Amino acid sequence: MCSIIGYKGSDHASSVLIEGLKKMEYRGYDSVGIATIKSGKLLTRKGVGKVAEVNKSLRLDELPGKLGIGHTRWATHGGIVDHNAHPHLACNSTIAVVHNGIIENYDELKEELNRSGHKFKSETDSEVIAHLLEEYFEITRDIRLSMIFTCKRLVGSFAFVAVFNSSTLCGARYDEPLIVGVGNDDYFLSSDILGFLNHTDKAIFLDNRDIVVINDSDISFFNFDGDKISRKITQVAWELGDADKGKYSHYTLKEIHEQQQTIVKSLEQDKKNLENFCNVIAEAKNIFITGSGTSYHSALLAKQILSKSKIHVETIMSSEFQYSSDMLDENSVLLAISQSGETADVMESVKAAKDMGAKVLSIVNIPTSSLARLSDSYLEVNCGPEIGVAATKSFTSQIALLYYVADIIGRKSNGIIDSKEILTKSVSEVLELDSQIERVANQIKDSKDVYILGRSFHYPVSLEGALKIKELSYIHAEGMAAGELKHGPLALIDNNSIVIVIHPNDSTYSDTLSNIHTIKSRGAKIVGISNKRNDVYDYQIIIPTISEFLYPLIEVIPLQLLAYYLSICNNANPDYPRNLAKSVTVK
Ligand code: G6P
């Protein structure tokens, strides 16, 4: 989703800005732009397309100056056209703004500003920020006050960065991330530490309602009420910036293969922190788990995993949470699962739970994320940066960690910790199926619809597999509980159907086998993911035998690989699927 970058220092700003935007490309976007200040003059260039393409045609990185802002836009208000790309300028071209989030009252503000003579050049909600800053600056002649008055007028979620031609860089946040990077003689403002991690590992994480003003002599922080505040510098891990494709042609493929290390890495937890986390769950009267997309599928699996430790939980999709939050009270615990820790739907759920007096726990990949900072306690899955928009390694890390949590609460010996070695070996064996799965993808690439079936633990995995196929290959895919087939979906099955069945030889085997026969007799082609060969499958994907409860960790990998290769067969870009963003910071 939108990325913001701002820079003030001794380097050529436009190159620093372009480099930062490229590092954040994984978040997803459709247009790009930058503005710099040179000798008191504001210069801007922007257009629709990828950073490299727009830079090639418009030479964004040739804009002069040592102060500037940049942005990649993911359209919400106003079409994907050059004039809606950020930065947006105030009327007299002395102020430029880049924004992430949604200004809910922009219509009303725009009307008011139009009445005062402001002329708008875009259809975006963001442009009102530039004009409001201009309006208040004309009245106060004070940048700090203009920032405070502007922030007070905005309703919605926002992180924005502004440059004033007097050589000042400012930023503010409310419900969207904004981080200050502190270099030796330069400052950065960014939505993501990856935006500046090549330059500095010193970061200041702004809180909600924080404003930062950086001028030639100092950096100062205020809240929306105008009170001066102080903010601490945090040292972030350099490794977070260590994201490149290595020998793989895409981040997605690299991240799928990294699961050989990341699954067991998520089990390396600080014992005390883990125990405290588990105690909160064990002592809660009601437990709710929430997440979005892939992380919601982890929540569904968590429900089943915890039920084996006799812990009952309710799962609620984060985007639906607000309609059920009345169920929570001070005896409840909400466990929020999120790779990015920035998903707006998840953050809204957490705030609603807090309002009801519930305790909030989270499982995140980014410990500096807004979610981790809002939680009473959190665990880190530790799988390293996940750049591919579709979640892969973060899913298996989340569920491995959830198995560990369930084992501790259920005081289970010989749980996942004792299976570490066999797990690593099994994951590596599944990854060796890579080229076989590529061949299966080639066979089924022209299908219009793919169904994925599984029972028990395999059901949430079927949902996750279908999500991967939709996201990466744009083929319609549906995951379903195998037993539900006969209650409706069977009407869709004919000899053009491809049905993938998650079918290890466990307690679900024979019931699922009956479902396979039912489908097969309607002419469908069957892709079997199993540890047991069976001639009923048209395509066999044979996975290793492992303890029944741990199958989800290995059986999802062939589905991720299949989705990846279907995407390649269909000439899509698996790392950046159309219309999707990695970190969805709007509701
Ligand atoms: C977006 C991504 C999905 C992801 C979901 C939740 O929609 O495209 O791949 O599963 O967000 O992300 P989170 O960071 O909260 O786990």
Side-chain angles (χ1 to χ4, degrees):
M1 197 134 283
C2 306
S3 297
I4 288 179
I5 180 94
Y7 175 77
K8 181 169 168 58
S10 50
D11 274 348
H12 181 64
S14 51
S15 315
V16 175
L17 298 172
I18 292 297
E19 178 198 47
L21 290 175
K22 281 189 177 158
K23 286 277 175 197
M24 295 189 283
E25 278 191 299
Y26 77 98
R27 293 163 62 94
Y29 67 99
D30 46 60
S31 355
V32 56
I34 66 170
T36 59
I37 305 278
K38 171 77 181 167
S39 313
K41 219 169 155 267
L42 209 157
L43 308 156
T44 184
R45 290 181 190 168
K46 55 189 184 176
V48 171
K50 293 285 166 207
V51 178
E53 288 159 21
V54 180
N55 191 33
K56 196 165 167 214
S57 57
L58 300 180
R59 297 300 342 168
L60 307 179
D61 59 355
E62 283 175 6
L63 281 182
K66 297 186 170 174
L67 163 64
I69 56 178
H71 188 261
T72 49
R73 172 175 189 247
W74 192 83
T76 56
H77 293 61
I80 305 172
V81 288
D82 292 352
H83 66 261
N84 284 336
H86 300 215
H88 293 292
L89 270 54
C91 295
N92 60 13
S93 298
T94 54
I95 303 167
V97 167
V98 289
H99 161 238
N100 181 13
I102 289 183
I103 306 300
E104 287 166 14
N105 60 337
Y106 84 102
D107 253 346
E108 171 194 316
L109 291 171
K110 199 167 171 177
E111 237 176 73
E112 176 188 319
L113 289 158
N114 271 327
R115 279 198 301 273
S116 328
H118 289 264
K119 296 269 175 288
F120 282 77
K121 296 174 214 78
S122 77
E123 292 84 52
T124 65
D125 53 335
S126 312
E127 194 183 344
V128 295
I129 304 174
H131 294 279
L132 272 179
L133 284 172
E134 180 176 52
E135 183 76 10
Y136 288 120
F137 188 71
E138 270 166 19
I139 300 168
T140 62
R141 311 306 299 169
D142 183 305
I143 292 178
R144 184 184 70 95
L145 288 177
S146 317
M147 286 291 286
I148 294 166
F149 292 153
T150 297
C151 290
K152 284 189 165 198
R153 296 297 310 281
L154 303 175
V155 176
S157 58
F158 55 86
F160 73 84
V161 173
V163 270
F164 286 72
N165 69 338
S166 54
S167 194
T168 304
L169 177 69
C170 325
R173 72 158 285 204
Y174 186 78
D175 276 359
E176 292 287 345
L178 190 63
I179 307 159
V180 183
V182 184
N184 285 338
D185 54 359
D186 38 19
Y187 290 103
F188 304 79
L189 287 177
S190 179
S191 338
D192 192 317
I193 49 173
L194 291 182
F196 56 75
L197 205 55
N198 272 5
H199 300 269
T200 178
D201 62 347
K202 293 190 181 57
I204 298 171
F205 293 89
L206 297 182
D207 275 342
N208 260 352
R209 297 172 53 80
D210 278 4
I211 294 173
V212 56
V213 178
I214 306 164
N215 54 35
D216 290 338
S217 50
D218 71 350
I219 175 165
S220 43
F221 300 91
F222 306 89
N223 60 25
F224 289 5
D225 298 319
D227 307 319
K228 206 167 164 76
I229 48 177
S230 61
R231 289 284 170 253
K232 273 203 318 262
I233 294 186
T234 309
Q235 182 117 8
V236 292
W238 283 109
E239 311 86 71
L240 287 178
D242 182 23
D244 72 66
K245 287 184 226 163
K247 61 177 182 177
Y248 297 95
S249 39
H250 293 97
Y251 286 112
T252 307
L253 188 59
K254 177 186 175 223
E255 287 158 8
I256 292 172
H257 279 267
E258 277 174 353
Q259 292 175 109
Q260 199 180 333
Q261 295 86 38
T262 52
I263 293 179
V264 289
K265 189 140 191 275
S266 68
L267 305 173
E268 290 168 15
Q269 296 290 330
D270 173 78
K271 269 265 154 50
K272 205 155 179 67
N273 187 33
L274 179 65
E275 266 161 27
N276 290 341
F277 186 97
C278 294
N279 283 342
V280 177
I281 299 182
E283 283 159 17
K285 209 159 154 215
N286 313 300
I287 305 155
F288 298 85
I289 311 190
T290 195
S292 297
T294 293
S295 297
Y296 175 64
H297 297 151
S298 294
L300 293 177
L301 263 167
K303 178 178 176 142
Q304 302 203 11
I305 294 168
L306 284 161
S307 76
K308 299 286 171 211
S309 293
K310 304 264 180 272
I311 311 255
H312 171 74
V313 307
E314 283 294 327
T315 51
I316 309 176
M317 221 175 253
S318 297
S319 57
E320 287 289 312
F321 193 88
Q322 57 182 307
Y323 313 110
S324 310
S325 58
D326 288 352
M327 288 197 287
L328 278 76
D329 60 22
E330 54 286 350
N331 298 315
S332 312
V333 163
L334 175 68
L335 168 57
I337 306 176
S338 171
Q339 185 282 133
S340 62
E342 301 294 350
T343 303
D345 289 326
V346 179
M347 292 302 290
E348 287 293 312
S349 311
V350 163
K351 283 180 206 149
K354 287 208 142 192
D355 287 346
M356 303 304 285
K359 274 215 170 65
V360 171
L361 301 178
S362 62
I363 290 185
V364 295
N365 190 29
I366 318 273
T368 50
S369 61
S370 307
L371 175 58
R373 290 179 320 124
L374 205 65
S375 306
D376 296 300
S377 168
Y378 68 88
L379 296 177
E380 231 179 291
V381 295
N382 229 342
C383 67
E386 189 177 64
I387 305 293
V389 165
T392 52
K393 62 176 177 174
S394 62
F395 176 69
T396 45
S397 292
Q398 287 166 350
I399 53 181
L401 182 50
L402 286 159
Y403 277 113
Y404 194 11
V405 166
D407 285 350
I408 292 184
I409 299 174
R411 301 191 189 290
K412 219 161 112 199
S413 53
N414 67 42
I416 190 164
I417 288 293
D418 296 320
S419 307
K420 261 166 57 180
E421 260 173 48
I422 174 104
L423 200 52
T424 308
K425 189 164 163 285
S426 307
V427 173
S428 126
E429 281 173 40
V430 176
L431 288 167
E432 280 166 23
L433 301 172
D434 187 298
S435 33
Q436 187 206 335
I437 293 171
E438 185 177 5
R439 287 195 292 279
V440 176
N442 268 295
Q443 297 290 319
I444 66 169
K445 67 177 192 305
D446 297 321
S447 332
K448 296 274 170 289
D449 305 287
V450 172
Y451 302 93
I452 309 185
L453 306 185
R455 285 171 178 262
S456 176
F457 281 90
H458 316 304
Y459 165 53
V461 179
S462 77
L463 298 178
E464 175 57 11
L467 181 64
K468 287 299 87 108
I469 292 178
K470 281 182 258 201
E471 287 178 302
L472 296 184
S473 71
Y474 315 147
I475 294 174
H476 167 244
E478 244 186 274
M480 62 184 87
E484 282 301 293
L485 192 78
K486 57 187 178 294
H487 298 301
L490 193 56
L492 298 168
I493 303 295
D494 62 18
N495 47 14
N496 294 315
S497 311
I498 296 287
V499 183
I500 303 173
V501 191
I502 308 174
H503 195 208
N505 188 12
D506 62 10
S507 57
T508 66
Y509 190 78
S510 55
D511 285 344
T512 305
L513 189 58
S514 313
N515 301 131
I516 295 176
H517 285 298
T518 312
I519 310 159
K520 184 104 179 159
S521 59
R522 266 85 185 164
K525 289 258 177 312
I526 309 289
V527 180
I529 299 178
S530 181
N531 57 330
K532 187 174 171 186
R533 287 192 182 277
N534 194 320
D535 289 341
V536 76
Y537 310 137
D538 297 277
Y539 307 100
Q540 319 227 11
I541 296 177
I542 302 300
I543 58 173
T545 302
I546 192 167
S547 119
E548 171 153 358
F549 299 134
L550 298 180
Y551 272 118
L553 285 168
I554 62 166
E555 68 200 14
V556 72
I557 297 174
L559 293 167
Q560 296 168 341
L561 284 168
L562 192 62
Y564 171 80
Y565 283 114
L566 284 172
S567 146
I568 302 295
C569 294
N570 291 339
N571 293 320
N573 182 342
D575 286 343
Y576 306 114
R578 67 184 181 204
N579 304 337
L580 301 180
K582 181 78 183 157
S583 186
V584 181
T585 52
V586 293
K587 276 200 270 173

